[in-house]
Amino acid sequence: MSAIGKYVGALVLVHVAWLLFYLVGTLVLRPARTSRTPGGAAADLAVTTACGMALVGFATFALGLAHLLYPFTPVGMAVVAALIFAYRGDAPWRAAFWTSRFDAWRAAASPGAFAIYAFALVYGFASARPDLGGDTTSYHLVYAAEWARAHALIVDPTLRVPYYATNWLLVDTWFMMFGLTDQTQTLSWLTSVLSLLGIYGFVIASVERDGRPAGTFALVLGVIAAASVALSTVFLETSATALIDVPIGLFFLATVIALTHALRARSGEQLAACIVCAAFLVGMKSSLLAFYLPFAFAVVAAAIRLGAAPRRIAVALVAFTVLAAPWYVKNFIEAGDPISPALNIPLQGVDPHWSADDFHGLSYDLKLGEDPSPLGNLLVPLKSLTEPSSPAFRADGGTFIVLLAWVPAFVAALALYRRQRPHARDDALVACLIAFAVGYWMSTSYQSRYMLIFLAALAAFLGMLAARAAVRYPNARWWAAAALAFCAIPSTQNQAAARNMLAAFDDFQANYHDRESWMMNRAPTYPEVQSISDALQRSGRTDLRVYRAYLEFDRLYFTQRGVRVAGDLFGPERYLDFQQAIVEDSIASYVQRYHIGAFLFPTQWEGNFPRAEQAALAVELGALGFHRAAVSDRFDVYLARDVR
Amino acid sequence: MSETTDAPAGGFCSQCGAERLGAFCWNCGAPADGPARETHAPTTAAGTPRDPPPRAPMAPAARPTISLPAVSFPTITLAPDAALPAAVAFAAAIASLAFPWLALLIGLGGLVAVANAEWRSRTAVSPPPTEIGDA
């Protein structure tokens, strides 16, 4: 299949998934009550789809605990959803069910929305390229692959972070179930499209009043606000991978949109959508537990504002807590720490998986290469544009919007001063959430792709301010547009990144013929993975693990072949301990402890381990009955005696 | 910047259709409910004059149909009681970048303050019934 054909196939699949997520999402946001103006409808479309993704994720967690993750399970989920719709008087077998939803989509159609979608179709092409190795193949997608194979939420103790919060991968699991590995990237792309449509819709909806559509100028502002994110190569590159940063950004944006619209329209359904999206976000990554309290106060404040009775406020808070908690409760039961090892190490000094050195090493790595002094912090947004590829940021570039990351804190502080005014409190709620997200980014890591958590919401917020200013001061509206356009200016480093992306497009289109040959030719160790997996399966020894040194990126490929592995930068089977074991001639203990049937490591290993010691390792493995398999010159493969 | 009214913003003027910000239309001066006013100097409930609108009213028909956009920056004057908070807020916002814990504090502390303010205003006046309140 050609590259274009592969992309079109992925698009068809993901659009079907989009429709299904949207339908599930209408359990929360009923289309009859959503907006029919272009801006409001586009924003509601994004929020409703995000709600659907979240509900699917929550259901998958429950089904995974019950060992019910099978290919036919979605059919059962669809039947249950249909019954709930019918119970609520909105049965799918009635025409009104479909016409109301079709109307909601049609209302979201506007020239700006189509322009954004068309642009997304172009950059989405990169999402069809198979991932040749990265964080996704070393651990993110490995969770989903493990669950899909085991039909349950199992925990492999040799995973990099076995006790983590991984909501988004629950959604990916259904793709992995059907062998649609690359299509998880196109699913990420879908979340990027929803983010851009959400920004666009939110900006326009901020000046739509009483069901009247905003003028053309607001549509232009919506497009510019979306462009301030869409022209950032950090966003574009991450959208084409199965990394969870763009989905996280969507759920933060959806929370902000639903919260704002709940207050503006005095809608309990929008507040429910806010709760669903916020709770899902809290469970998307362990460090996002930090957002539990801000979201909880936002939900409570909004519920009070809507005039909810105290009992209803309590129900909203409990619902948010219960939906946000599953991973943390599970991890607490299994590892004694809801965010293992972040509490275990400081409080207990020990963790089932991580050592203190691992923990401190990762903490150091997250803030690598940047001066954490106040002045250094102050320059971080600017440096993320001028030195994007430095160890601190590890990206290609961004847009100027990051220079205005202080604006939400400013609006929050100002609105708090005026908090006796209800509308100032509305602004303060959203501004406080975004300010908190900016602080979270700078407190945890400076990496550019981690700022994607707030980038879409920041663009929507700044766009809202610009749109309001344009309405308030009509003669100065071009100033508002210019200020917003400043946010969309790409940094100069984007030019090189854009050229690289286009070159990658050309390469993919010209040279991709089928996935297997593409992977065999381009993915490091992929031929070795296939060879080792074949040997283990031929010998009937799939119970044995493969130890890989400095090659954690190939974990997904082994998992998909049903082969368990060991060896990582962190954890009990860490590489440094492996090297120490070689020096001490104690590889035998590794073989016994991890039940190892094969070893794989780079031949050119001088950087970490002297060639003389490699020879010592070869002798030691020979003494243990391992023999060397000739697969390639780049990697050494040793197989156990009974593996041929 | 100073606000000329405490009334909630939003809506459209029933007289000329322009965006109504606050209790009076910026374009023709009509109040939220009632006929157009002769003057563009709305008064407070106590009868004292309010700040005038920032520019002279412009009738919709007077706008040119085809022309380059009129670009002019509005005169925004900071009332003495707003200048200090704005300056403090600006300083706090910049400082929140230098000290990320301050951004976390503004975020979380602000949300607590808003929830508290909502609760206080709820206990002060009865809110109108809403969908969630009635459900």
Side-chain angles (χ1 to χ4, degrees), chain A residues 33 306 308 418 425 475-476 478, chain B residues 1 69-70 72 121-122 130-131:
Chain A
R33 298 191 186 183
L306 294 185
R418 297 178 169 183
R425 291 204 292 269
N475 288 341
W478 288 100
Chain B
M1 83 191 74
S72 64
S121 46
R122 175 197 173 107
T130 65
E131 173 194 345

Side-chain angles (χ1 to χ4, degrees), chain A residues 453-471:
Chain A
I453 185 172
F454 67 79
L455 215 55
L458 177 65
F461 185 72
L462 295 177
M464 179 190 75
L465 295 181
R468 279 195 202 162
V471 168

Side-chain angles (χ1 to χ4, degrees), chain A residues 33 209 266 268 294 305-306 308 312 374 377-378 406 410 417-418 425 429 432 436 440 442-443 471 475-476 478-479, chain B residues 1 3 12 19 69-72 74 81 85-86 89-90 93-94 97-100 104 107 111 118 121-122 130-131 135:
Chain A
R33 298 191 186 183
R209 292 278 188 276
R266 303 184 70 76
R305 182 71 192 283
L306 294 185
R312 287 264 160 190
N377 280 328
L378 204 57
W406 54 272
F410 172 70
Y417 170 73
R418 297 178 169 183
R425 291 204 292 269
L429 273 182
C432 285
F436 186 89
Y440 160 86
M442 294 187 64
S443 303
V471 168
N475 288 341
W478 288 100
W479 283 100
Chain B
M1 83 191 74
E3 295 213 2
F12 290 83
E19 176 81 357
V71 178
S72 64
D81 65 335
F90 183 75
I94 298 299
L97 288 184
F99 304 97
L104 297 172
L111 289 161
E118 291 289 0
S121 46
R122 175 197 173 107
T130 65
E131 173 194 345

Side-chain angles (χ1 to χ4, degrees), chain A residues 341 345-346 354-366 570:
Chain A
I345 296 288
W354 290 61
S355 71
D357 284 345
D358 288 341
F359 182 58
H360 297 310
L362 183 67
S363 304
Y364 172 76
D365 179 70
L366 285 172
F570 312 105

